[in-house]
Amino acid sequence: MRRSFRMEKINNELKRVLSEIILTEISPGKDNLITVLRVEATSDLNEAKVFVSTLKNGEEIIETLNKKSGYIRHLASDKIKIKKVPKLTFILSEDLPVLI
């Protein structure tokens, strides 16, 4: 099914906001990096899958992010102008981000 332009904009904005929150609020540990690769929100904005990549301790980072997902969602609601911020589920992606 083809995603609408509106959903693409929402997913991109969620990606930007979540990247900012993770960078400033979540400590990944020394010499580690968390990258939000993509966000896939449902059209009713009830849920969103957040695909992330890490340099180290991927499973531990995902576990921590999922435990703090309510807090992250709360912070996102202050930074993004949408009707409701979806419930976040963080998923470890084996894809490596392209560094330019």
Side-chain angles (χ1 to χ4, degrees):
M1 188 168 129
R2 186 172 154 352
R3 289 261 192 221
S4 70
F5 180 70
R6 176 182 172 268
M7 286 309 300
E8 286 182 34
K9 284 178 64 175
I10 291 172
N11 287 336
N12 287 333
E13 184 65 10
L14 278 169
K15 177 183 170 188
R16 184 192 66 76
V17 167
L18 293 173
S19 295
E20 180 182 314
I21 290 169
I22 290 171
L23 179 67
T24 59
E25 301 291 331
I26 308 298
S27 175
K30 189 174 182 178
D31 300 331
N32 201 357
L33 178 67
I34 301 173
T35 305
V36 177
L37 299 175
R38 73 181 187 276
V39 176
E40 294 178 0
T42 58
S43 59
D44 59 4
L45 294 179
N46 281 331
E47 298 179 11
K49 295 177 185 174
V50 183
F51 295 88
V52 299
S53 176
T54 66
L55 291 179
K56 301 180 195 173
N57 306 326
E59 295 299 324
E60 291 175 29
I61 297 293
I62 292 300
E63 187 177 324
T64 300
L65 289 172
N66 280 318
K67 284 181 182 176
K68 295 182 177 186
S69 66
Y71 175 65
I72 295 169
R73 182 180 180 192
H74 171 73
L75 293 175
S77 69
D78 292 338
K79 296 178 182 271
I80 191 168
K81 303 292 186 221
I82 58 175
K83 191 176 203 179
K84 63 180 178 179
V85 176
K87 179 180 179 240
L88 305 172
T89 303
F90 292 90
I91 300 169
L92 183 62
S93 178
E94 298 302 321
D95 298 339
L96 293 176
V98 177
L99 301 175
I100 297 177

